[in-house]
Amino acid sequence: EVQLVESGGGLVQPGGSLRLSCAASGFTFSDHYMDWVRQAPGKGLEWVGRSRNKVNSYTTEYAASVKGRFIISRDESRNSLHLQMNSLKTEDTAVYYCGRLSGNNVDYWGQGTLVTVSS
Amino acid sequence: DIQLTQSPSFLSASVGDRVTITCRASQDISSSLAWFQQKPGKAPKLLIYAASTLQGGVPSRFSGSGSGTEFTLTINSLPPEDFATYYCQQLKSYPITFGGGTKVEIK
């Protein structure tokens, strides 16, 4: 059974950093692209970024709103996806979801982890 | 960036109604469009990909159509469990973008 479990959310001050993790199980992690998507309270979905699979050297793409501040990485040995978030802004407050891609689409999602950026 | 405009933003419907949601792209995205359903406090659920292909396990009352810049999601005979928010997503080019969402509420 495919499972994705996010962790690492919490309250952080503006300008601070936080590292989210997504523990993957039930599939061959290195074979799949993985996305981060966020949702601000009461708002719609926003794509944050993507990690391609091992064949594509785990290269990454980012939304303009987070490029240069957020870094997506993987720990292959632990089947984990990470989102390092630096220079956090109040507008980064959101539930962050990781998702597994099959083909070109996210077919499995985690339950989400809440990040609150506030002083 | 490719903008996706969903209409309507809110839709009031009754159980048993047929519901149609439109998603318009700011440029040609061929068939690189997906539809998601999201319920409060839950992760999105993939319904349709490649504009018209039903994801495995999704009921056949859901259907998608369109290509290029105009797409529709149709739900036939709306059951109570389908009152939710629906999003389109384009996968043609980076950055990946979502539509603003359509909230389907009970009339």
Side-chain angles (χ1 to χ4, degrees):
Chain A
E1 180 193 4
V2 172
Q3 285 199 324
L4 299 169
V5 180
E6 299 96 337
S7 60
L11 175 64
V12 60
Q13 291 189 335
S17 297
L18 207 58
R19 186 186 192 222
L20 305 184
S21 296
C22 171
S25 60
F27 65 100
T28 304
F29 182 62
S30 59
D31 284 351
H32 289 262
Y33 285 31
M34 300 289 295
D35 273 2
W36 286 101
V37 170
R38 68 184 180 183
Q39 187 168 37
K43 302 297 183 182
L45 300 170
E46 181 187 14
W47 178 79
V48 172
R50 174 168 293 175
S51 168
R52 294 184 179 87
N53 58 13
K54 186 172 184 177
V55 165
N56 289 286
S57 305
Y58 295 138
T59 52
T60 54
E61 299 284 348
Y62 298 95
S65 58
V66 306
K67 195 169 186 179
R69 299 188 299 124
F70 289 11
I71 299 171
I72 298 173
S73 63
R74 297 200 194 205
D75 183 339
E76 197 175 320
S77 66
R78 298 187 179 191
N79 284 352
S80 292
L81 179 74
H82 301 288
L83 181 65
Q84 176 68 42
M85 303 186 295
N86 302 320
S87 303
L88 281 161
K89 306 175 182 180
T90 56
E91 53 263 40
D92 295 319
T93 294
V95 174
Y96 285 74
Y97 296 100
C98 66
R100 182 195 86 158
L101 275 78
S102 180
N104 207 19
N105 299 99
V106 175
D107 61 348
Y108 285 92
W109 298 86
Q111 83 289 352
T113 187
L114 176 63
V115 172
T116 303
V117 184
S118 174
S119 54
Chain B
D1 297 4
I2 297 174
Q3 315 299 324
L4 296 179
T5 303
Q6 281 184 242
S7 59
S9 300
F10 296 92
L11 193 160
S12 186
S14 299
V15 171
D17 281 354
R18 183 185 189 197
V19 165
T20 299
I21 299 168
T22 298
C23 179
R24 289 187 174 88
S26 59
Q27 61 190 78
D28 188 340
I29 59 170
S30 185
S31 297
S32 299
L33 189 99
W35 289 97
F36 292 89
Q37 176 193 68
Q38 189 182 33
K39 297 181 180 180
K42 300 294 187 181
K45 174 186 175 182
L46 178 64
L47 300 175
I48 302 280
Y49 63 93
S52 61
T53 302
L54 198 66
Q55 172 69 353
V58 173
S60 59
R61 63 179 177 270
F62 292 95
S63 63
S65 65
S67 67
T69 61
E70 187 151 339
F71 303 87
T72 59
L73 172 71
T74 299
I75 313 170
N76 284 305
S77 191
L78 195 70
E81 61 265 31
D82 288 349
F83 289 93
T85 301
Y86 294 84
Y87 295 92
C88 56
Q89 181 200 38
Q90 69 81 20
L91 304 115
K92 181 66 173 177
S93 65
Y94 294 106
I96 306 299
T97 48
F98 288 92
T102 296
K103 186 173 184 180
V104 179
E105 300 177 318
I106 299 175
K107 184 182 288 182

